[in-house]
Amino acid sequence: MLRIGGKMKIVYASRKGHVEAVINNLGITDALKIVEGTERIDGDYVIFTYTDGNGILPPKVKTFLENNPGVKAVVSSGNSERHPDTYNFAADIIAREYGAAIIAKIDGSGTEQDMADIKKALNLN
């Protein structure tokens, strides 16, 4: 599993509340929420996002990534029942197009084990 050294900035986009629940479950209180995609952040960061429709990177997330080049890793939330063929493609797209490492691909708001794995990867323990 990937481990991120030091305190990394956290950015997230949440449409149905699953990703926001993950941020809250991890106890992260200083994350930047992507609302329009025009937000700015300096330095390196980890992005938490959902996958839009059938394996599409949400447009506001794409805009954010194009304007903020410091993405180092990604956590993606998806729905394996509704979209089994394109489950969490957002993570794959961000990894491929922006060179970010994939920390986790989770279903909905994730499991307790998902939270433990993400905490370990981000040194949140």
Side-chain angles (χ1 to χ4, degrees):
M1 160 158 288
L2 171 75
R3 292 201 59 145
I4 302 292
K7 176 101 169 105
M8 185 70 67
K9 295 174 189 172
I10 305 294
V11 174
Y12 75 97
S14 187
R15 181 181 58 207
K16 294 184 178 179
H18 298 298
V19 176
E20 192 157 28
V22 170
I23 294 294
N24 293 333
N25 288 339
L26 292 171
I28 299 169
T29 58
D30 58 351
L32 172 65
K33 183 175 184 178
I34 299 171
V35 178
E36 299 293 327
T38 56
E39 298 83 0
R40 301 293 296 192
I41 192 166
D42 292 324
D44 297 340
Y45 62 92
V46 175
I47 191 164
F48 288 63
T49 187
Y50 57 95
T51 298
D52 219 0
N54 288 324
I56 300 167
L57 185 62
K60 67 182 176 183
V61 172
K62 183 174 182 164
T63 298
F64 182 87
L65 289 165
E66 289 171 351
N67 292 313
N68 296 280
V71 65
K72 296 300 177 195
V74 58
V75 174
S76 181
S77 171
N79 185 318
S80 62
E81 284 187 31
R82 288 187 63 209
H83 304 288
D85 295 334
T86 58
Y87 176 65
N88 277 315
F89 268 25
D92 298 322
I93 293 167
I94 292 170
R96 183 180 67 246
E97 294 185 11
Y98 301 94
I102 298 173
I103 292 176
K105 294 179 177 181
I106 61 175
D107 208 332
S109 298
T111 64
E112 286 185 32
Q113 185 61 53
D114 291 330
M115 296 306 108
D117 292 345
I118 294 167
K119 282 182 178 182
K120 185 175 182 179
L122 295 177
N123 290 317
L124 297 175
N125 294 329

